Amino acid sequence: MEPAISADAKWVRWRANLPWSLAVLAWFAVVGAPMLVLFGLLAQQPEALWHAAWPDARRLQLLTNSIIMAMAVATACVALSLPAAAWLLRRKEARLATLIWLPLVMVAVPPYVHALAWMQFWQGMDGMLAFLGLSLRPAPLWLKAVWVETAAYLPITLAFSMVGLANNNPLLSDAARLYVDEWTVFWRIRLVLALPTILVGGGFVFLLSVADFSVPSLFQVQVYAVEILVEHSSGVGEAMTFAVALPLVAIGLAVIPLLSRGVAHISLVPERFGRFAVTDHAIGGSFARLQYIAAMSVFMLIVVPIAVLIVSVGAPATFVDAVVQGGDAVLYSVAVALGAAVAVTMLAMTLVRRTLDRRWMLAILLPFAVPASLIGIGLLVVWNHGATEFVFGSILMPVLASSARFAPIAAATFLVYSRSISTDLLEVAELLQGRGRATWWQVYRPLFGPGIVTAFLVVFALSLGELPATLMVAQPGQQTLALRVYNLLHYGASDQVAALCLLLTSLSMAPLGLALLASRPRDRKSFAPWHGRPC
Amino acid sequence: MLEVHGISKSFGVLQVLHDVSLRLDRGQVTTLVGTSGVGKTTLLRIIAGLERADAGEVVIDGETATRGGTILSPPHRRTLGFVFQAPALWPHMTVAKNILFAVTHLNAAARSHRLAGLLRATGLEPLATRYPSEISAGQARRVALARTLAAAPCYLLMDEPFSNLDPQAKQDLIRLALDHVRDGSMGLLYVTHDPSERELIGGNILLLRDGVLTAG
């Protein structure tokens, strides 16, 4: 028989669980409700479900195109990232130790900005070839779209590859080095151990690519995500739009459980591996060349878009003009991004401490299964009522759109960071000081601070470029910088658009870059293997 | 013969090894003692080719394997075995596959013969198909030793390999290693700071203090 719990004890337990319970409710309101309401609408209109269950031949073709394109992008990203990450992690030079982070900062640059830059680059190349009296057969548009999406999503797989390889226990590689050559050590030990993490990165890229409409629509590539947008624009209603999107949702629901299993095992700080870092034995021959080529390709995919944008802007006055003209949109975007980053980071901080098991990880990542534009549609259904009019017409809608999209990223980032902190450290502090202010300030803040700041900055940067969900919820007169850029893009590339893209890129990259620079001394201790030398 | 000549090594401003020299012949046992953090592990890693030295040479059976900061012979060509402080078993391989990884150059028959012998000698036969996560810490240490012995090294480097084992298990595994030394096929360089292990191992005793090696 279980001992009876006193009323006082129940009160203490209830009070301790209150913040977490509120966070679960808030998570449900922001992230879960838009999805559930769409399923609810579908249940009320079975004919819409029937319509989706039997897609015609054209839609099947679109779905096939989407899957093939997403697989091509994910494969290209992983294939480039793996050797590039291996090369970057072997860098020991102090200056390069900072540079290896640069590709990761590009994660904040939206795909349509990459698209504009590469379109201008190819245009310039064609012009140059024509000037020289040469001409090349133009590449197919789908290939260009794959190229651009690869460039846009590469930082994601690069980050996962670097984390996967850096988290290898160096002793396991050293043990293998005693018996086999460096090539075999890489393929049979390091790669096998890092593969789950690397594949998680590939899985995320697949999901992002399969649901992206911005790049395919700019290159006139027929994919399923564009069809969803077309369907919604034709005014068939939310239920029918969601029904059309169900195949993409089903793909997401199939992939997310695999990703959540992978994410649950990623840890950022390999403290338990002792003092030995990755040894720097040379890998000779073709693999070393492959690593070098991959690393240079990664840098090219980063440097070219930025260089093209700078060249396209031309005179600094053009940039200043664009900033002045888009001033309202800039301020509005920054306010939206700040609001989303604060809300989502606080939510993640409160929620994640209790959500370490696999089921919670699955629940956190589930929103990734739903294409972003549908999240926007779901938010419209949830908040477009008389009682919530103060939300519907306000800045809160874009904030909710970004929050709903990026809350899983903030939670996953914070979770992965939290997993690297030994519970012993927290328990010792609580034994000595309880859960008071001193424990929070002297122990929790320094330990969890970098994770909180990282989650905040990632959401802030991503929210600045958020387009698909914002496109759905933004009311006339509400224009974010991303919306302004995307609308102008359809009128063709111009120096004004390039200037706005450059501004968006700078705004997105600056906080992440600053954070990386600011966190370097701490990184040197905790991420020592990333720098390829003994710590 | 394994010869170490004038090895020096610094980490930043901290010099951990200063002009260290030693010799180890097959059939010979040498125990290296010293307090924690004195550089014993670093010396073993330099001998194995897993760490670069700042100066000095490592010569194995007349062939220079390390000269200064240059590793002339990679670790897998040094005919050395190394048992680390941690078992360092590959988590994606079974016990049998962990051991067989050390003998990929042998044909199938020779491999299975060697595996069977080592599993028997270390008492690991019932655990051959288990993964490292499914065995105890003591059993993992036995697998690590079996894997090292499988490669039939000429010189065995052991870096406090049994520090957390119970006395009986420690004794059994040390005896197993010593059996290979006594038949003259292997030299043993054993690092410890445990007096009971030092007595069990015997042989020459060297003391590493302040980066300098002296006879104990």
Side-chain angles (χ1 to χ4, degrees):
Chain A
M1 190 175 146
E2 283 188 24
I5 300 170
S6 71
D8 276 357
K10 277 182 185 170
W11 164 245
V12 168
R13 191 186 289 181
W14 185 84
R15 205 177 56 174
N17 285 334
L18 185 62
W20 185 76
S21 306
L22 290 175
V24 171
L25 276 177
W27 183 275
F28 175 78
V30 174
V31 184
M35 291 187 296
L36 285 179
V37 86
L38 289 173
F39 279 106
L41 283 178
L42 204 57
Q44 288 170 8
Q45 296 183 34
E47 73 280 4
L49 187 61
W50 181 256
H51 174 74
W54 298 101
D56 55 28
R58 192 182 65 84
R59 282 201 176 139
L60 275 178
Q61 183 59 53
L62 290 178
L63 192 61
T64 311
N65 291 352
S66 289
I67 293 169
I68 290 173
M69 185 170 161
M71 285 180 78
V73 170
T75 308
C77 283
V78 169
L80 263 177
S81 298
L82 179 62
W87 186 85
L88 287 168
L89 288 171
R90 284 162 49 79
R91 298 302 93 204
K92 293 197 299 175
E93 302 86 344
R95 284 177 192 168
L96 277 172
T98 305
L99 269 183
I100 69 167
W101 295 99
L102 186 66
L104 307 186
V105 174
M106 288 294 284
V107 78
V109 180
Y112 49 88
V113 173
H114 284 270
L116 172 85
W118 283 103
M119 281 194 280
Q120 290 192 284
F121 177 76
W122 289 320
Q123 217 173 353
M125 291 295 286
D126 287 344
M128 195 184 293
L129 286 174
F131 179 75
L132 295 170
L134 300 168
S135 72
L136 286 176
R137 216 175 101 190
L141 288 172
W142 65 264
L143 188 60
K144 288 183 172 178
V146 168
W147 178 282
V148 168
E149 285 200 353
T150 301
Y153 298 134
L154 192 65
I156 298 172
T157 46
L158 189 66
F160 277 93
S161 300
M162 286 171 74
V163 168
L165 288 175
N167 268 344
N168 274 188
N169 180 346
L171 210 53
L172 296 181
S173 301
D174 280 348
R177 282 189 181 103
L178 296 163
Y179 311 113
V180 291
D181 60 21
E182 203 63 28
W183 172 261
T184 314
V185 172
F186 185 83
W187 285 109
R188 290 194 57 188
I189 306 295
R190 293 190 68 199
L191 181 59
V192 174
L193 294 174
L195 206 56
T197 307
I198 295 169
L199 290 180
V200 168
F204 276 121
V205 167
F206 175 82
L207 284 182
L208 288 169
S209 175
V210 86
D212 178 54
F213 65 82
S214 64
V215 173
S217 68
L218 288 169
F219 287 95
Q220 284 123 43
V221 177
Q222 302 300 313
V223 293
Y224 206 86
V226 177
E227 181 74 0
I228 299 169
L229 202 66
V230 170
E231 193 77 10
H232 182 66
S233 307
S234 65
V236 293
E238 287 86 6
M240 189 64 87
T241 308
F242 186 57
V244 170
L246 274 180
L248 287 191
V249 176
I251 291 171
L253 289 175
V255 175
I256 289 291
L258 302 175
L259 296 186
S260 71
R261 287 178 72 170
V263 170
H265 290 101
I266 298 172
S267 168
L268 281 180
V269 187
E271 281 175 316
R272 64 186 183 281
F273 299 153
R275 60 177 289 268
F276 295 112
V278 179
T279 43
D280 56 349
H281 294 282
I283 300 178
S286 54
F287 188 54
R289 281 193 289 277
L290 178 70
Q291 285 186 4
Y292 182 75
I293 291 167
M296 291 307 112
S297 306
V298 167
F299 278 109
M300 181 197 72
L301 289 172
I302 290 156
V303 169
V304 167
I306 294 174
V308 167
L309 288 176
I310 292 171
V311 170
S312 302
V313 171
T318 314
F319 184 73
V320 175
D321 271 358
V323 174
V324 171
Q325 281 182 24
D328 289 347
V330 173
L331 288 176
Y332 192 77
S333 295
V334 171
V336 167
L338 270 176
V342 169
V344 157
T345 308
M346 288 178 70
L347 202 54
M349 279 166 58
T350 320
L351 200 65
V352 155
R353 252 178 281 161
R354 300 282 297 269
T355 57
L356 287 173
D357 74 14
R358 198 177 289 170
R359 285 167 302 168
W360 281 106
M361 197 66 234
L362 184 63
I364 282 173
L365 292 180
L366 215 51
F368 268 116
V370 181
S373 49
L374 286 176
I375 291 177
I377 294 171
L379 283 168
L380 285 178
V381 179
V382 172
W383 296 99
N384 188 10
H385 300 289
T388 54
E389 207 174 341
F390 67 100
V391 175
F392 186 70
S394 73
I395 191 173
L396 286 174
M397 282 307 280
V399 171
L400 281 171
S402 287
S403 301
R405 274 207 71 194
F406 303 126
I409 293 177
T413 306
F414 191 65
L415 172 65
V416 166
Y417 195 89
S418 306
R419 282 172 55 83
S420 64
I421 296 167
S422 164
T423 47
D424 291 351
L425 298 176
L426 309 176
E427 283 170 358
V428 166
E430 283 178 19
L431 278 172
L432 295 171
Q433 293 279 352
R435 287 192 175 187
R437 200 172 297 165
T439 303
W440 191 91
W441 186 252
Q442 291 176 31
V443 180
Y444 275 74
R445 186 188 54 85
L447 286 177
F448 288 98
I452 295 167
V453 171
T454 306
F456 175 87
L457 290 172
V458 167
V459 174
F460 176 79
L462 292 174
S463 297
L464 277 174
E466 206 293 321
L467 180 71
T470 310
L471 193 63
M472 296 294 166
V473 301
Q475 298 302 301
Q478 291 182 329
Q479 198 173 44
T480 62
L481 192 54
L483 276 176
R484 189 176 166 85
V485 167
Y486 189 69
N487 289 334
L488 288 172
L489 267 178
H490 285 88
Y491 298 108
S494 70
D495 53 356
Q496 286 284 312
V497 182
L500 286 176
C501 283
L502 197 59
L503 178 64
L504 186 59
T505 304
S506 318
L507 282 173
S508 305
M509 287 174 67
L512 287 182
L514 286 174
L516 288 178
L517 285 176
S519 62
R520 274 191 59 209
R522 186 180 297 276
D523 286 348
R524 195 162 286 175
K525 285 179 202 158
S526 55
F527 285 83
W530 291 48
H531 299 279
R533 60 183 164 205
C535 49
Chain B
M1 180 173 285
L2 169 67
E3 297 163 86
V4 174
H5 300 298
I7 289 287
S8 295
K9 176 73 179 176
S10 301
F11 291 113
V13 291
L14 179 70
Q15 180 152 31
V16 287
L17 297 173
H18 179 69
D19 198 20
V20 170
S21 299
L22 65 86
R23 299 172 77 148
L24 179 71
D25 214 343
R26 294 185 201 195
Q28 187 189 340
V29 176
T30 297
T31 309
L32 180 60
V33 293
T35 52
S36 294
V38 80
K40 306 184 295 290
T41 300
T42 303
L43 177 60
L44 259 58
R45 287 176 61 82
I46 288 171
I47 294 171
L50 296 170
E51 193 95 51
R52 292 176 197 279
D54 295 339
E57 274 188 349
V58 176
V59 181
I60 300 168
D61 292 335
E63 189 189 334
T64 306
T66 291
R67 182 176 291 136
T70 310
I71 290 173
L72 300 170
S73 175
H76 67 284
R77 299 212 186 281
R78 294 195 175 198
T79 62
L80 294 174
F82 197 146
V83 185
F84 300 99
Q85 283 177 30
L89 301 182
W90 302 298
H92 57 293
M93 297 183 195
T94 59
V95 165
K97 283 188 177 167
N98 261 282
I99 296 170
L100 286 172
F101 189 88
V103 286
T104 45
H105 57 285
L106 298 180
N107 62 38
R111 292 173 70 196
S112 54
H113 180 257
R114 195 166 292 183
L115 175 67
L118 281 163
L119 287 174
R120 198 168 43 246
T122 49
L124 290 168
E125 280 165 312
L127 309 175
T129 55
R130 292 210 195 160
Y131 284 90
S133 58
E134 299 167 341
I135 60 177
S136 70
Q139 289 163 341
R141 306 259 173 190
R142 278 193 267 162
V143 179
L145 179 60
R147 179 177 65 185
T148 307
L149 294 176
C154 298
Y155 305 96
L156 178 57
L157 313 175
M158 298 179 84
D159 184 10
E160 301 181 39
F162 310 129
S163 46
N164 290 322
L165 289 185
D166 64 84
Q168 187 56 50
K170 194 183 286 188
Q171 211 169 335
D172 291 347
L173 290 174
I174 288 174
R175 279 204 185 118
L176 180 65
L178 287 176
D179 285 347
H180 284 72
V181 178
R182 282 183 191 127
D183 67 13
S185 63
M186 197 171 79
L188 173 63
L189 180 56
Y190 194 98
V191 166
T192 184
H193 58 240
D194 180 347
S196 68
E197 277 185 43
R198 200 165 54 195
E199 275 177 31
L200 271 172
I201 296 287
N204 305 329
I205 295 176
L206 297 174
L207 174 67
L208 188 61
R209 189 163 53 192
D210 299 330
V212 179
L213 197 63
T214 52

